[in-house]
Amino acid sequence: QLAEFLQQNFPSSIEDVSGGNFPAPEYATHLMSLLSFIQIFTLAAMFIGDGIFSMIPFISGPPKWYFAAKENPAFIMMSVFIFIPTVLNSFVVSGAFEVAIDGVVVFSKIESGMMPTGPMIIEAFAKAGIQQG
């Protein structure tokens, strides 16, 4: 929608408009990968039971925390599949929306705290020296 708006209001100034997602911090990406492993391990432990630990080298039996987790399976499942992913998702999704001209940011949702309206974009472009036409 923004691309169409810009091309209608600034046809001679705007040739190509593109956008994308703001990249997630590297640590958040690694945490999401770790969470995937924990989720798979949790499912495997649920179906295989105590025997899963015999498949791991250098571990003779289930650790103490495993028995405590077995006593509260509903809490563990909700934590691993609902609570923890929700918290990690808040690190991955920034909600960033920025409009840049030649690499210079003219509007930032992070700085303003709101999505831009048409008049706000026109004003930002006017401040950057691009006239409507």
Side-chain angles (χ1 to χ4, degrees), residues 3-112:
E4 290 175 22
F5 175 80
L6 292 175
Q7 288 175 343
Q8 287 173 358
N9 287 282
F10 302 96
S12 60
S13 304
I14 307 293
E15 294 175 10
D16 183 35
V17 178
S18 62
N21 293 329
F22 196 76
E26 191 173 340
Y27 72 89
T29 307
H30 292 302
L31 286 175
M32 291 300 277
S33 297
L34 177 63
L35 175 63
S36 296
F37 172 77
I38 291 170
Q39 288 174 331
I40 291 169
F41 182 80
T42 301
L43 286 174
M46 228 175 80
F47 290 110
I48 298 172
D50 300 354
I52 194 167
F53 292 98
S54 64
M55 298 176 192
I56 302 172
F58 309 112
I59 296 181
S60 58
K64 292 179 184 179
W65 60 263
Y66 174 74
F67 295 109
K70 250 176 106 171
E71 291 176 14
N72 285 319
F75 175 74
I76 296 301
M77 295 303 282
M78 286 190 310
S79 295
V80 169
F81 290 97
I82 297 174
F83 302 140
I84 296 173
T86 301
V87 171
L88 288 180
N89 193 42
S90 69
F91 291 111
V92 174
V93 178
S94 67
F97 180 86
E98 295 181 334
V99 177
I101 301 170
D102 296 328
V104 178
V105 176
V106 294
F107 182 88
S108 172
K109 178 185 171 198
I110 294 174
E111 290 177 12
S112 69

